[in-house]
Amino acid sequence: QGMPSLNTVAEPGQLGTGAQIASIERIRDSFVDYQIRTENSTLSQYDTRSTFLANIEAIINEPSNTGVASLIGKFFDSWQELSKKPNSSNARTVVVQQSAALTDALNHTALQLNKLQENAQNLIKTNVTDVNSMLNQIDVLNREIVSVKSAGNMPNDLMDKRDNILDELSGKFNITIEKSSFEGINLRPTDDNG
């Protein structure tokens, strides 16, 4: 035990009387984890749907004065005028112009919708790659966790990493997690039909 001096603030009997850590334990509520992951999956699904519907809404641009519906109306109006004046070159010119405008708008809309479809397919490919990467990381972490736990130690940091990846994975699709021995898990997609 140390003696007090000018260089130390310790008094006799103070050294070595601090707290002793016996173990560090993780405190996680598996029910809350389940709820968060389920709702995270639902939120992600509706966020994605909302994004693509907003894109479709912008492409179709209805109701508006320049949208397809308005051009269809003008197209039929021009034919109505032509039926009243079949010999009028002006009425024929208007029909041709309205037909061209409607055709251009339909072609442009179809092109934009095709691009959006390609973007959706690319997003799906990216998500599949991300999911596969996450599954591989979870597999590696799961093996390490089981190995450390079976040796009698507590792999808290590895379990935290695995939980973070599981939380992220739940945003990609619904997952069901079944606990196995030595803190291992079995992971599978949730069966939405039953």
mmCIF file of all heavy atoms in Angstrom, residues 2 5 30 42 56 64 70 77 101 135 157 173 184:
data_model
loop_
_atom_site.group_PDB
_atom_site.id
_atom_site.type_symbol
_atom_site.label_atom_id
_atom_site.label_comp_id
_atom_site.label_asym_id
_atom_site.label_seq_id
_atom_site.Cartn_x
_atom_site.Cartn_y
_atom_site.Cartn_z
ATOM 1 N N GLY A 2 0.467 2.216 -0.735
ATOM 2 C CA GLY A 2 1.295 3.399 -0.901
ATOM 3 C C GLY A 2 1.167 4.374 0.236
ATOM 4 O O GLY A 2 0.176 4.415 0.959
ATOM 5 N N SER A 5 2.276 11.252 -0.500
ATOM 6 C CA SER A 5 3.421 12.122 -0.706
ATOM 7 C C SER A 5 2.948 13.339 -1.491
ATOM 8 O O SER A 5 1.777 13.449 -1.850
ATOM 9 C CB SER A 5 4.527 11.370 -1.452
ATOM 10 O OG SER A 5 4.137 11.146 -2.786
ATOM 11 N N SER A 30 -35.117 -10.107 -26.972
ATOM 12 C CA SER A 30 -35.332 -10.791 -28.251
ATOM 13 C C SER A 30 -36.709 -10.468 -28.828
ATOM 14 O O SER A 30 -36.874 -10.420 -30.045
ATOM 15 C CB SER A 30 -35.146 -12.302 -28.100
ATOM 16 O OG SER A 30 -36.043 -12.820 -27.148
ATOM 17 N N THR A 42 -41.250 -4.220 -43.070
ATOM 18 C CA THR A 42 -42.479 -3.609 -43.579
ATOM 19 C C THR A 42 -42.225 -2.169 -44.021
ATOM 20 O O THR A 42 -42.670 -1.745 -45.091
ATOM 21 C CB THR A 42 -43.581 -3.648 -42.499
ATOM 22 O OG1 THR A 42 -43.783 -5.005 -42.098
ATOM 23 C CG2 THR A 42 -44.886 -3.075 -43.001
ATOM 24 N N ILE A 56 -43.483 6.966 -60.906
ATOM 25 C CA ILE A 56 -44.517 6.732 -61.920
ATOM 26 C C ILE A 56 -45.447 7.945 -62.011
ATOM 27 O O ILE A 56 -45.810 8.390 -63.099
ATOM 28 C CB ILE A 56 -45.322 5.448 -61.607
ATOM 29 C CG1 ILE A 56 -44.430 4.220 -61.808
ATOM 30 C CG2 ILE A 56 -46.569 5.347 -62.472
ATOM 31 C CD1 ILE A 56 -45.032 2.927 -61.299
ATOM 32 N N SER A 64 -52.941 17.053 -65.587
ATOM 33 C CA SER A 64 -52.227 18.271 -65.986
ATOM 34 C C SER A 64 -52.691 18.679 -67.380
ATOM 35 O O SER A 64 -53.373 17.925 -68.070
ATOM 36 C CB SER A 64 -50.714 18.038 -65.981
ATOM 37 O OG SER A 64 -50.333 17.303 -67.110
ATOM 38 N N SER A 70 -54.917 14.938 -71.354
ATOM 39 C CA SER A 70 -55.244 16.191 -72.035
ATOM 40 C C SER A 70 -55.005 16.057 -73.540
ATOM 41 O O SER A 70 -55.813 16.521 -74.356
ATOM 42 C CB SER A 70 -54.389 17.320 -71.464
ATOM 43 O OG SER A 70 -54.577 18.506 -72.189
ATOM 44 N N ASP A 77 -60.921 15.986 -79.953
ATOM 45 C CA ASP A 77 -61.528 17.275 -80.329
ATOM 46 C C ASP A 77 -61.157 17.647 -81.763
ATOM 47 O O ASP A 77 -61.993 18.153 -82.521
ATOM 48 C CB ASP A 77 -61.079 18.390 -79.377
ATOM 49 C CG ASP A 77 -61.684 18.272 -77.991
ATOM 50 O OD1 ASP A 77 -62.647 17.479 -77.829
ATOM 51 O OD2 ASP A 77 -61.172 18.940 -77.053
ATOM 52 N N ALA A 101 -48.505 14.902 -81.494
ATOM 53 C CA ALA A 101 -48.263 15.260 -80.090
ATOM 54 C C ALA A 101 -48.629 14.101 -79.166
ATOM 55 O O ALA A 101 -47.887 13.783 -78.222
ATOM 56 C CB ALA A 101 -49.052 16.514 -79.725
ATOM 57 N N LEU A 135 -25.450 -12.331 -45.725
ATOM 58 C CA LEU A 135 -25.594 -13.722 -45.300
ATOM 59 C C LEU A 135 -24.230 -14.372 -45.078
ATOM 60 O O LEU A 135 -24.045 -15.130 -44.129
ATOM 61 C CB LEU A 135 -26.416 -14.511 -46.322
ATOM 62 C CG LEU A 135 -27.902 -14.154 -46.396
ATOM 63 C CD1 LEU A 135 -28.564 -14.871 -47.564
ATOM 64 C CD2 LEU A 135 -28.616 -14.470 -45.088
ATOM 65 N N ASP A 157 -18.926 -8.807 -28.608
ATOM 66 C CA ASP A 157 -18.697 -7.934 -29.754
ATOM 67 C C ASP A 157 -19.112 -8.603 -31.060
ATOM 68 O O ASP A 157 -19.681 -7.977 -31.945
ATOM 69 C CB ASP A 157 -17.239 -7.475 -29.819
ATOM 70 C CG ASP A 157 -16.257 -8.640 -29.863
ATOM 71 O OD1 ASP A 157 -16.622 -9.751 -29.432
ATOM 72 O OD2 ASP A 157 -15.123 -8.425 -30.338
ATOM 73 N N PHE A 173 -35.641 -8.011 -46.545
ATOM 74 C CA PHE A 173 -36.772 -8.942 -46.612
ATOM 75 C C PHE A 173 -37.057 -9.486 -45.222
ATOM 76 O O PHE A 173 -36.262 -9.320 -44.307
ATOM 77 C CB PHE A 173 -36.530 -10.068 -47.626
ATOM 78 C CG PHE A 173 -35.422 -11.024 -47.273
ATOM 79 C CD1 PHE A 173 -35.703 -12.243 -46.687
ATOM 80 C CD2 PHE A 173 -34.105 -10.721 -47.553
ATOM 81 C CE1 PHE A 173 -34.689 -13.130 -46.373
ATOM 82 C CE2 PHE A 173 -33.081 -11.597 -47.248
ATOM 83 C CZ PHE A 173 -33.378 -12.812 -46.650
ATOM 84 N N GLY A 184 -25.572 -19.680 -31.303
ATOM 85 C CA GLY A 184 -25.706 -19.709 -32.755
ATOM 86 C C GLY A 184 -27.142 -19.421 -33.163
ATOM 87 O O GLY A 184 -28.060 -19.420 -32.332
#
